[in-house]
Amino acid sequence: MLHLLWLIPAFPFASFVVLATLGKRMPRKMVPVIGAGSIGLSAVVSFLVTYSFLTSPPPGNSFTQVLWTWIDVGGFRPEISFYLDALSLVMVLVVTFVSFLIHFYSAEYMGEDEGYSRFFAYMNLFVASMCTLLLGANLLLLFLGWEGVGLCSYLLIGFWYKDPANGLAARKAFIVTRVGDTAMTLGLFLLFDKLGTLNIQELMHRALLQWPVDSTLPVVAGLLLLGGAVGKSAQLPLQTWLPDAMAGPTPTSALIHAATMVTAGVYLIARTHVLYSIAPTAQLAVAIVGAATLILAGFSAVTQSDIKRVLAYSTVSQIGYMFLALGVGAWSAAIFHFMTHAFFKSLLFLGAGVIIESLHHEQSIFKMGGLRKEMPVAFWTFLAAGCSLAGLPLITAGFYSKGLIIWGTWSSTRGSTALWIAGVLGVLLTSLYTFRLIFLVFFGEMKTRVHKRPGFAMMMPCVVLGVLSVVGGFLDTPGFLGNIHTFTDFMHQALPPVTEGPLRGMSELGSEGLVTLAFLIGLYAAYLFFMQKRELAEAITAPAISKALHRFWFSDWGMDWLYERVFVRPVVWIARVDKNDFVDYIYSGIALITELLYHGVRKTETGRMRWYAAGIAAGSIIFLAVVLFL
């Protein structure tokens, strides 16, 4: 079955071509059949490949499929080839399955939209690009998929292009992520120039042999790749594009946050883990970026009023946990949290879409309330995902994956007390903003009447993802809860285990106990301020200093304000001052000459046949004269 690997990206690519060229002409009912069906076929192939990989493991627990040589110039011979190991297998399986559920949901959610076929074409290209990124055996093919997801995010965020605000959000996402991509491109050039190949496995092997630990080259290369990962995964200091990306359709948000773009940076660092193992300085930077991001995004999430923006900051925070795990060498814990996060975060966005559409596109959580009895299926599935996000102990997937990361920050030789405290504080904030959201939306008095109820196509994916948000964590449990390591053991085929150091007086049980305490404090604070005594929350936020702090966190710690003044305005000012420089005169001259030629040639268009015949004859005579006499 492994030889079917190429079909995983091929199905959505083919569907994109069909929908982009024939979508407007085909019956409307055929669009989701092709759009969602192609992703379903990719998911089926992913399951078949997984079954074959598990029952008949390839030699070395990895499989490479070479399709053809892409370029062959002067010894530079990158191939169109796919590489499958435990890491790419888990990633592509989760991406295709979750993407299929989101596509299935979209068939109903986008059913009345005028850009129906265009939407599915973009979504298909998005998934195809992500699969190419995950399976690419060399960094050039990975980069092709990397840029593909960047392009698709731009197209989908600005999908409703008639609203200028949506176009602005799309351009912001495109430009901010280009900053990171520039750093990544420099990193690729550096790696190829110094090590002579772009094949990832060969590249990592040569780096390990040729570069001393923590020498300049691996550290610089690691930091440049981190720059690319920071941009794509919306981490500090390039996280500003993701909250604005909520301008796109809600299924797009689910796809970006759960199964495609923001996880690309996590995959890049995990895939190049050998490079970071010999560049501990760069790896420490990964951990610091993750810890700082999860704290800052957590405070911003607490202050948001738009249901989708709360979830957006939540994603930034949870990806921060994955970066934290990568930074301390808890590689499998990062991928474990990627998997559980894909389940509960896609469900939260799909549930938010159900609520928004039912309330006639109302997105303010302060204008909701009392939906628990009106929409019971939406409530219970959203509650399951929210509890998993917050890390409800023992019964939710998020508890196990997040607990594994936090324990890694304590037990790893590359962890520290400060990183562990950041992880625990993140749990408290996550519990606080998650249950604040749940209490305001589903409890209390109803403030907006339900206008529309979702159908089967929208609720079925929510139920499936709700089940996975609970049971998905039982693949890996701590020692005091069964000591199951099914996921970790499988991931160790591709990623190294955590290098454990001195435990410094705390056991895994003690760490989980303090994490649980942080969860309970966040839950109680949310209950106290947003269920029991709302006036208490209003009293706390009433003083001027509290309002200023609220505005500061609400505005993403003033990052947009800062970037506007440090980067945007100076560049715009220079562009305006320099708009008539010497280079512009050249281009203006070319444009002027072209315009004059146009006016001259236009006069020959008389519509008279005798004039055209005379012109042809004159041209022939001049041509013959040139041939005969020169």
Side-chain angles (χ1 to χ4, degrees):
M1 293 289 182
L2 295 180
H3 64 280
L4 299 177
L5 188 62
W6 67 277
L7 286 173
I8 295 174
F11 278 127
F13 263 129
S15 176
F16 159 71
V17 173
V18 170
L19 290 173
T21 54
L22 304 173
K24 288 184 178 179
R25 300 174 187 173
M26 65 176 56
R28 196 173 178 85
K29 291 183 178 178
M30 282 297 296
V31 172
V33 173
I34 296 174
S38 64
I39 307 299
L41 289 173
S42 288
V44 170
V45 173
S46 297
F47 278 108
L48 293 174
V49 167
T50 301
Y51 176 78
S52 178
F53 193 92
L54 294 176
T55 54
S56 304
N61 292 314
S62 63
F63 171 74
T64 302
Q65 184 176 37
V66 180
L67 298 180
W68 67 83
T69 299
W70 186 0
I71 305 167
D72 190 355
V73 179
F76 180 62
R77 298 183 72 253
E79 296 169 326
I80 300 293
S81 57
F82 298 128
Y83 180 79
L84 188 74
D85 64 354
L87 173 60
S88 52
L89 180 67
V90 169
M91 296 284 291
V92 82
L93 186 63
V94 172
V95 166
T96 53
F97 179 67
V98 172
S99 297
F100 169 67
L101 293 176
I102 295 171
H103 276 71
F104 193 83
Y105 173 99
S106 302
E108 180 180 336
Y109 187 86
M110 300 295 292
E112 298 176 0
D113 202 284
E114 62 176 307
Y116 202 44
S117 61
R118 181 165 57 90
F119 173 80
F120 277 99
Y122 291 166
M123 294 279 277
N124 284 177
L125 183 61
F126 209 165
V127 177
S129 300
M130 188 65 190
C131 291
T132 303
L133 187 160
L134 297 175
L135 295 173
N138 59 71
L139 286 175
L140 194 59
L141 189 57
L142 182 151
F143 192 66
L144 180 69
W146 186 274
E147 291 304 315
V149 296
L151 170 65
C152 293
S153 67
Y154 165 77
L155 295 171
L156 285 165
I157 293 168
F159 179 74
W160 290 315
Y161 58 88
K162 293 180 181 177
D163 186 345
N166 296 343
L168 184 63
R171 291 197 297 277
K172 182 179 179 181
F174 192 78
I175 293 169
V176 172
T177 54
R178 292 286 79 69
V179 175
D181 290 359
T182 303
M184 179 179 171
T185 306
L186 293 174
L188 299 189
F189 280 127
L190 174 65
L191 289 169
F192 180 72
D193 181 60
K194 299 300 179 184
L195 299 175
T197 181
L198 285 176
N199 182 286
I200 298 174
Q201 301 309 312
E202 182 62 26
L203 195 70
M204 295 298 106
H205 181 66
R206 293 183 187 182
L208 195 61
L209 291 178
Q210 299 179 21
W211 286 349
V213 174
D214 219 19
S215 57
T216 303
L217 286 176
V219 171
V220 172
L223 291 175
L224 289 171
L225 294 188
L226 173 61
V230 160
K232 271 291 185 287
S233 294
Q235 298 291 286
L236 279 175
L238 300 178
Q239 85 286 9
T240 56
W241 66 269
L242 192 58
D244 289 353
M246 297 302 99
T250 300
T252 298
S253 303
L255 197 62
I256 290 176
H257 288 247
T260 53
M261 190 158 168
V262 298
T263 59
V266 177
Y267 175 75
L268 176 66
I269 294 177
R271 175 53 75 202
T272 56
H273 67 274
V274 174
L275 176 66
Y276 287 93
S277 69
I278 58 174
T281 303
Q283 192 174 0
L284 177 61
V286 175
I288 293 173
V289 165
T293 305
L294 73 91
I295 297 297
L296 268 62
F299 277 107
S300 292
V302 170
T303 61
Q304 301 301 312
S305 57
D306 185 313
I307 185 171
K308 290 178 68 177
R309 287 182 73 87
V310 175
L311 297 179
Y313 278 108
S314 165
T315 298
V316 176
S317 178
Q318 298 308 303
I319 298 294
Y321 270 111
M322 297 177 208
F323 271 64
L324 178 60
L326 297 171
V328 299
W331 308 102
S332 61
I335 305 305
F336 188 36
H337 196 54
F338 150 77
M339 184 185 75
T340 61
H341 180 262
F343 297 149
F344 60 69
K345 187 50 62 65
S346 57
L347 172 53
L348 286 169
F349 271 107
L350 297 186
V354 169
I355 295 166
I356 292 169
E357 190 162 274
S358 300
L359 301 184
H360 203 62
H361 303 289
E362 178 57 63
Q363 294 190 204
S364 173
I365 56 177
F366 293 102
K367 295 181 180 178
M368 301 176 184
L371 297 178
R372 177 167 52 97
K373 295 180 180 177
E374 287 287 324
M375 307 175 70
V377 178
F379 166 66
W380 286 108
T381 54
F382 199 94
L383 181 66
C387 289
S388 192
L389 166 63
L392 177 67
L394 305 181
I395 61 172
T396 59
F399 166 75
Y400 294 103
S401 59
K402 207 179 298 182
L404 197 60
I405 291 174
I406 294 173
W407 175 238
T409 63
W410 183 269
S411 62
S412 169
T413 53
R414 300 195 175 186
S416 69
T417 304
L419 294 174
W420 180 85
I421 291 173
V424 175
L425 180 58
V427 171
L428 192 154
L429 291 170
T430 307
S431 179
L432 175 59
Y433 68 68
T434 302
F435 286 102
R436 167 181 177 263
L437 177 65
I438 292 172
F439 291 145
L440 288 175
V441 172
F442 292 102
F443 291 84
E445 296 180 3
M446 181 179 290
K447 298 172 183 172
T448 305
R449 294 185 61 81
V450 175
H451 295 274
K452 183 180 178 182
R453 297 189 183 279
F456 173 78
M458 287 178 65
M459 293 316 301
M460 187 277 284
C462 294
V463 173
V464 173
L465 290 168
V467 173
L468 291 173
S469 297
V470 175
V471 304
F474 296 122
L475 291 173
D476 228 289
T477 63
F480 59 92
L481 287 173
N483 202 26
I484 300 170
H485 298 295
T486 305
F487 187 88
T488 300
D489 291 342
F490 180 63
M491 290 308 301
H492 284 170
Q493 295 180 10
L495 298 171
V498 179
T499 305
E500 294 188 351
L503 297 184
R504 292 168 286 153
M506 186 165 66
S507 65
E508 188 175 13
L509 178 60
S511 176
E512 292 285 10
L514 291 171
V515 168
T516 301
L517 179 62
F519 165 83
L520 293 174
I521 292 173
L523 171 60
Y524 178 72
Y527 175 76
L528 182 66
F529 294 137
F530 302 103
M531 277 286 291
Q532 193 178 37
K533 295 182 178 179
R534 293 285 299 276
E535 66 279 4
L536 193 58
E538 294 170 0
I540 291 175
T541 56
I545 188 170
S546 298
K547 289 182 178 177
L549 198 59
H550 186 279
R551 285 196 298 271
F552 187 52
W553 291 341
F554 182 83
S555 64
D556 197 10
W557 297 69
M559 297 294 283
D560 280 332
W561 180 90
L562 180 67
Y563 290 165
E564 174 75 17
R565 281 153 183 78
V566 174
F567 298 112
V568 178
R569 290 187 183 181
V571 170
V572 172
W573 179 78
I574 292 172
R576 286 175 178 167
V577 170
D578 198 42
K579 65 181 180 182
N580 293 321
D581 64 5
F582 176 73
V583 176
D584 280 342
Y585 284 125
I586 296 175
Y587 289 109
S588 299
I590 293 173
L592 180 62
I593 292 170
T594 304
E595 187 176 355
L596 292 174
L597 287 174
Y598 158 73
H599 287 298
V601 173
R602 189 183 64 171
K603 293 180 179 177
T604 65
E605 293 288 336
T606 62
R608 297 176 180 174
M609 290 300 296
R610 285 183 296 178
W611 172 259
Y612 294 154
I616 293 172
S620 301
I621 292 170
I622 292 172
F623 179 75
L624 288 172
V626 170
V627 172
L628 291 174
F629 294 106
L630 294 182

